[in-house]
Amino acid sequence: MSEKSFTLETDADGIAILTWDMPGRSMNLITEAAMEELSEAVERVASDPAIAGAIITTAKKDFSGGADITMLAGLFGEYEKKLAENEMAAIAELLERSSRLSRIFRRLETCGKPFVAAVKGISMGGGTELMLACHGRVVAEGAKIGLPEVKIGIFPGAGGTQRVMRMTDAVAGLQFLLKGSTLSPEKAKTMGLVEEVVSEAELMEAAKAMLREGLSAVKPWDHEGFRLKGAAAIWTPGGFQVWPAANGLYRKETFDNYPGARAIMQAVFDGLQLSMDQALNVESRYFAKVLRTKEAQAMIRSLFVSMQELGKGARRPKDVPASEIKTLGVIGAGFMGAGIAYVSARAGMEVVLIDQDQESAEKGKAHCASLAAKQVERGRMRQDEAEALLARIRPTTQYAELGPAELVIEAVFENRKVKADVTKGAGEWLGGGAVFASNTSTLPITSLAKEYRDESAFIGIHFFSPVEKMHLVEVICGEKTGKKALAVALDYVHAIKKTPIVVNDSRGFYANRCVTAYLLEGHLMLTEGVPPAMIENAGRMAGMPVGPLSLNDEVGLDLGWKIVQATEADLGPEAVSPEQKALLQELVEKRGRFGRKNGKGFYDYEGREKRLWPGLAEIAPPKDADKFDIAELKQRLLVTQALEAARTVGEGVVTDPREADVGSILGFGFAPFTGGTLSYIDFMGTKEFVALAKRLAKKHGPRFKPNRLLLEMAENGETFYGRFGTSAETGKAA
Ligand code: NAD
């Protein structure tokens, strides 16, 4: 095996083939070493008179996954170390190192010899930027082309923003950069980002033909007199129409919370008014600036590093051999059960889907069929794949069919007696080593486990709705849950390509506790007289995907009302808020408003349209919006969730900060730019956070009181990542 990432071979026609094949990795990544090699290869192509032009391609299934993000995180680490000694020198070095890739790509673009990118499979981030720096692009059918950097808080800083905007329509280019979306080769071609789309077998021949036909080694923008077209030419009538609107849209989508997205707007706007060399310089400066923001660090840590680690089984007990679920049992073919059956069959498992009568079981399978049909319609699944998926789901009423199942997940009604019956019933038919899981949202796992023949083989596997869309799965260890059950649950979550967090048993586990706090805060604001539209806007401005009232309508006001009643019955009247109780009782019991499900909640629904219900003014008369400080409303909505997350850590429910953070973003969309509930506290500083919580507690009540853990951490100047590290392995599982 070659220790090099790139090999260069020249054929008789003077075409150099530069093949990317990173040793020891399944995906080509841009590392410091790869940059060095690429730079050397470009110089060889430039200086060797025997080479007329070059093709950059891959020996792997995919072209490239882009820059090695851990390298970027490392760059920042070194910057921080040097910062204390000499701030200016530290910034200058960060700029120098973070702009290196951009300089190599520019050298490739201007070295005098034409380069063609021959791309197949995945091309992301720096890989796509390399492709754009080349003089021609041939892409194999089925490839996936993206610049997803904005999703982890940064942006394409190696020429991506400048080249995209000079190659495609301004609106399409901005959307592509700001959304971080993935393009099909055909779409990329329509946009002008790719010249040719061919079959994989024809890829190299087509790339060679492009060179033989005399591909120019000078980019359009490096010709004298180059003029931007359409709205990309900012100071033109077309530009006047697009740029103010683009700014408005940017604000509407991001509320200016994301420095990475803001830098895209700035780099593009500034860069389009400059020559390419100057524009790249400007882009590099924005890039180094964004790397230094806490948002970029928080997002890289949670949404890239931690998510990968958790996905790879960071919390899996290492000494349990890997398990493979060939047959999965699902009991309860309702909304959740059908979703679980679908994602499991999609991952290749045989699924026995049980309900109380055959008709209900068939209905669950029909739901899977409609999900698969939608995928086929959108071109994301072939018809034969959909048929094979459905053939793997067996609807039945017979527990006997569960015999071969290695894992069973129950998703029957949220009723202790019903759950006890199916757990006992299924246990009689299952093989010796089978693990039994509950998808309960509220019932403690430890108590449900008592109904299974082996409590150590019982675990919680809590999905989020809708199952086929939500990436998070909360795995819950009861007091007696054993390592094997945990390992099997995590192997299963890995197989269905979702991200797990492992938490210990508690009322509401982790995610629902934080969400409940968010909903409560929205309810209390309403009863205080905050105008409902202001509450909703405060939620979105704080970075949440939807306001608390909208979210409650989606979940169901009746469910909220049920939970308040159950909490009061179990824990006493002090455990519930009297204002919230009165509000939900009025809405659900007196006004019959259950949420989106019956078209009446905090909003009125008509088809896809919704409007805040005017009747809310009778129940909670609104005060003048000027009486409320929007900054404080935003803080309340995030702080209440972060406090609840800190309580789960204090109680030992969550043991690893990565899980609180990743779980909060994937599970309930906690403001992603913060890096998650605990990163929100860490990046604010525990001391500052505690002071803020105390101020809010004084003004709004004891729900904002920081717990003992937070007080202690503030006192000692600790952070969650500093105190709890990231090495916890198995929670309480014995
Ligand atoms: P649902 O009412 O849509 O489905 C429940 C299904 O269980 C029904 O098809 C019912 O016929 C079946 N069932 C009832 N008794 C049965 C029995 N004895 N044997 C076999 N099947 C039986 O409910 P759902 O929304 O899918 O919720 C199911 C579980 O998932 C609950 O525990 C719930 O708390 C949990 N959960 C729900 C959500 C959500 O958003 N809906 C999210 C996470 C977890």
Side-chain angles (χ1 to χ4, degrees):
M1 186 177 65
S2 153
E3 283 310 307
K4 295 206 144 229
S5 277
F6 289 96
T7 47
L8 187 82
E9 278 171 27
T10 310
D11 70 8
D13 294 341
I15 294 180
I17 314 256
L18 186 54
T19 308
W20 196 356
D21 190 7
M22 191 174 184
R25 301 289 284 256
S26 57
M27 178 67 90
N28 291 323
L29 294 180
I30 299 173
T31 56
E32 301 257 10
M35 275 198 269
E36 189 60 45
E37 283 184 47
L38 179 62
S39 173
E40 281 167 16
V42 169
E43 293 313 324
R44 254 193 66 193
V45 171
S47 61
D48 187 342
I51 297 177
I55 297 171
I56 302 186
T57 192
T58 173
K60 299 198 191 289
K61 184 163 86 36
D62 300 302
F63 185 61
S64 169
D68 180 358
I69 301 294
T70 46
M71 168 181 78
L72 283 183
L75 266 188
F76 183 79
E78 285 172 39
Y79 157 78
E80 274 215 311
K81 269 191 225 142
K82 291 192 178 130
L83 194 60
E85 292 164 31
N86 182 338
E87 187 181 356
M88 286 317 287
I91 293 175
E93 187 176 328
L94 182 70
L95 173 63
E96 165 67 22
R97 294 184 62 188
S98 63
S99 59
R100 174 140 192 250
L101 191 60
S102 183
R103 286 195 303 279
I104 295 171
F105 288 171
R106 181 61 176 154
R107 170 71 184 138
L108 181 156
E109 190 175 55
T110 55
C111 77
K113 300 267 173 81
F115 278 76
V116 174
V119 171
K120 61 176 180 160
I122 292 168
S123 170
M124 291 292 144
T128 299
E129 291 183 289
L130 169 58
M131 179 178 129
L132 296 175
C134 289
H135 304 87
R137 286 144 289 271
V138 185
V139 175
E141 288 156 0
K144 293 191 166 93
I145 298 159
L147 290 172
E149 286 88 338
V150 73
K151 291 185 181 167
I152 53 164
I154 53 178
F155 72 93
T161 64
Q162 302 308 314
R163 295 195 177 93
V164 165
M165 295 304 292
R166 283 164 175 78
M167 292 167 80
T168 189
D169 165 74
V171 176
L174 274 176
Q175 269 178 359
F176 176 49
L177 293 168
L178 286 169
K179 283 196 180 148
S181 45
T182 300
L183 304 175
S184 66
E186 294 75 21
K187 174 83 181 150
K189 189 175 172 195
T190 318
M191 285 171 67
L193 298 176
V194 157
E195 285 74 26
E196 270 186 56
V197 180
V198 297
S199 72
E200 205 171 308
E202 297 164 312
L203 189 65
M204 291 310 286
E205 209 27 65
K208 285 180 186 170
M210 201 179 252
L211 283 174
R212 281 195 212 104
E213 281 157 21
L215 181 69
S216 168
V218 182
K219 281 285 181 67
W221 45 84
D222 287 321
H223 282 286
E224 215 162 302
F226 169 71
R227 283 193 171 275
L228 290 163
K229 285 196 279 293
I234 293 170
W235 305 108
T236 61
F240 291 157
Q241 281 188 11
V242 165
W243 292 94
N247 251 341
L249 274 176
Y250 156 76
R251 290 247 157 199
K252 185 166 170 255
E253 292 298 321
T254 66
F255 292 97
D256 207 26
N257 282 323
Y258 295 84
R262 189 189 315 147
I264 289 176
M265 296 298 289
Q266 292 170 314
V268 160
F269 188 80
D270 295 354
L272 286 177
Q273 302 178 61
L274 299 168
S275 72
M276 193 54 150
D277 285 310
Q278 288 170 320
L280 291 173
N281 230 322
V282 166
E283 184 197 62
S284 293
R285 280 162 194 272
Y286 278 120
F287 190 60
K289 187 174 166 195
V290 166
L291 279 183
R292 281 159 44 218
T293 62
K294 64 176 196 267
E295 289 85 352
Q297 291 155 48
M299 286 176 79
I300 288 175
R301 182 168 76 183
S302 294
L303 290 170
F304 188 83
V305 181
S306 298
M307 218 163 104
Q308 266 199 354
E309 288 168 355
L310 296 179
K312 282 186 187 157
R315 293 291 308 280
R316 188 188 184 282
K318 308 260 175 307
D319 48 352
V320 182
S323 57
E324 187 193 347
I325 313 293
K326 295 199 188 79
T327 305
L328 175 81
V330 178
I331 310 181
F335 182 57
M336 295 302 283
I340 296 168
Y342 173 78
V343 297
S344 307
R346 189 177 62 186
M349 294 170 206
E350 295 291 329
V351 180
V352 179
L353 181 58
I354 295 186
D355 209 299
Q356 23 193 3
D357 50 67
Q358 190 64 26
E359 198 189 334
S360 306
E362 300 283 355
K363 202 171 147 212
K365 180 164 177 177
H367 180 64
C368 300
S370 74
L371 292 176
K374 255 187 227 153
Q375 291 302 97
V376 172
E377 202 182 295
R378 291 182 187 153
R380 294 193 191 136
M381 196 185 277
R382 291 195 317 265
Q383 182 62 31
D384 62 319
E385 285 172 337
E387 279 161 20
L389 181 161
L390 291 172
R392 284 192 284 273
I393 302 175
R394 264 203 328 280
T396 174
T397 57
Q398 302 300 312
Y399 285 153
E401 298 208 22
L402 291 176
E406 294 93 351
L407 172 67
V408 173
I409 303 174
E410 72 76 12
V412 296
F413 298 140
E414 189 76 342
N415 175 301
R416 196 174 275 284
K417 169 87 173 63
V418 179
K419 293 213 187 275
D421 286 348
V422 301
T423 308
K424 259 200 214 109
E428 287 170 21
W429 295 93
L430 285 168
V435 171
F436 197 96
S438 173
N439 180 46
T440 177
S441 355
T442 53
L443 302 167
I445 293 302
T446 306
S447 64
L448 293 178
K450 294 194 175 34
E451 307 298 338
Y452 193 54
R453 56 172 196 217
D454 173 7
E455 288 181 60
S456 76
F458 194 98
I459 195 161
I461 301 186
H462 180 217
F463 284 85
F464 293 77
S465 135
V467 176
E468 68 283 1
K469 287 209 182 108
M470 298 294 284
H471 285 292
L472 186 72
V473 175
E474 205 167 22
V475 174
I476 303 125
C477 295
E479 263 164 33
K480 299 215 170 130
T481 301
K483 277 187 190 178
K484 186 193 156 204
L486 176 58
V488 168
L490 291 177
D491 291 342
Y492 165 71
V493 177
H494 182 74
I496 58 170
K497 297 198 169 69
K498 298 206 183 272
T499 305
I501 61 169
V502 181
V503 304
N504 291 315
D505 209 4
S506 106
R507 204 182 175 84
F509 315 125
Y510 167 67
N512 283 347
R513 281 179 62 168
C514 300
V515 174
T516 306
Y518 180 57
L519 298 180
L520 171 65
E521 209 50 36
H523 296 160
L524 294 180
M525 287 178 179
L526 192 70
T527 58
E528 276 166 41
V530 183
M534 193 174 189
I535 301 172
E536 295 292 82
N537 286 338
R540 297 209 48 229
M541 288 166 79
M544 298 300 292
V546 290
L549 307 180
S550 293
L551 181 61
N552 205 167
D553 272 2
E554 297 299 327
V555 179
L557 302 191
D558 55 333
L559 183 65
W561 174 226
K562 252 191 220 156
I563 292 174
V564 167
Q565 288 170 291
T567 311
E568 185 171 26
D570 291 355
L571 306 177
E574 315 78 55
V576 299
S577 144
E579 293 88 352
Q580 181 185 41
K581 186 180 159 191
L583 175 70
L584 288 175
Q585 187 167 21
E586 174 78 29
L587 286 165
V588 177
E589 289 198 343
K590 301 207 180 121
R591 313 271 182 150
R593 303 191 75 86
F594 298 159
R596 189 190 270 281
K597 63 173 89 159
N598 76 339
K600 293 189 288 186
F602 288 109
Y603 288 78
D604 280 328
Y605 296 84
E606 246 185 76
R608 299 179 124 226
E609 298 293 313
K610 65 175 194 178
R611 284 184 55 227
L612 276 160
W613 176 47
L616 277 179
E618 284 166 36
I619 299 175
K623 295 186 181 145
D624 188 350
D626 288 346
K627 290 209 172 353
F628 302 97
D629 173 6
I630 188 78
E632 192 193 89
L633 295 179
K634 280 162 59 183
Q635 274 171 340
R636 281 171 64 181
L637 290 169
L638 295 190
V639 168
T640 187
Q641 298 181 69
L643 279 168
E644 196 58 28
R647 285 180 201 121
T648 65
V649 179
E651 291 162 25
V653 175
V654 170
T655 53
D656 184 326
R658 291 175 296 184
E659 297 183 304
D661 277 344
V662 171
S664 68
I665 300 178
L666 296 190
F668 48 99
F670 185 84
F673 67 89
T674 63
T677 44
L678 297 185
S679 281
Y680 174 64
I681 300 176
D682 273 6
F683 279 100
M684 186 185 297
T686 320
K687 227 184 207 125
E688 288 73 8
F689 179 81
V690 164
L692 171 62
K694 281 183 175 168
R695 269 201 315 276
L696 292 172
K698 213 165 155 193
K699 196 164 162 195
H700 299 286
R703 66 185 180 284
F704 283 106
K705 270 197 180 155
N707 61 351
R708 240 205 3 249
L709 171 68
L710 272 171
L711 294 174
E712 196 180 299
M713 285 173 58
E715 184 75 27
N716 301 337
E718 287 172 305
T719 60
F720 280 97
Y721 281 76
R723 178 162 169 148
F724 294 95
T726 54
S727 58
E729 199 193 87
T730 60
K732 260 196 214 141

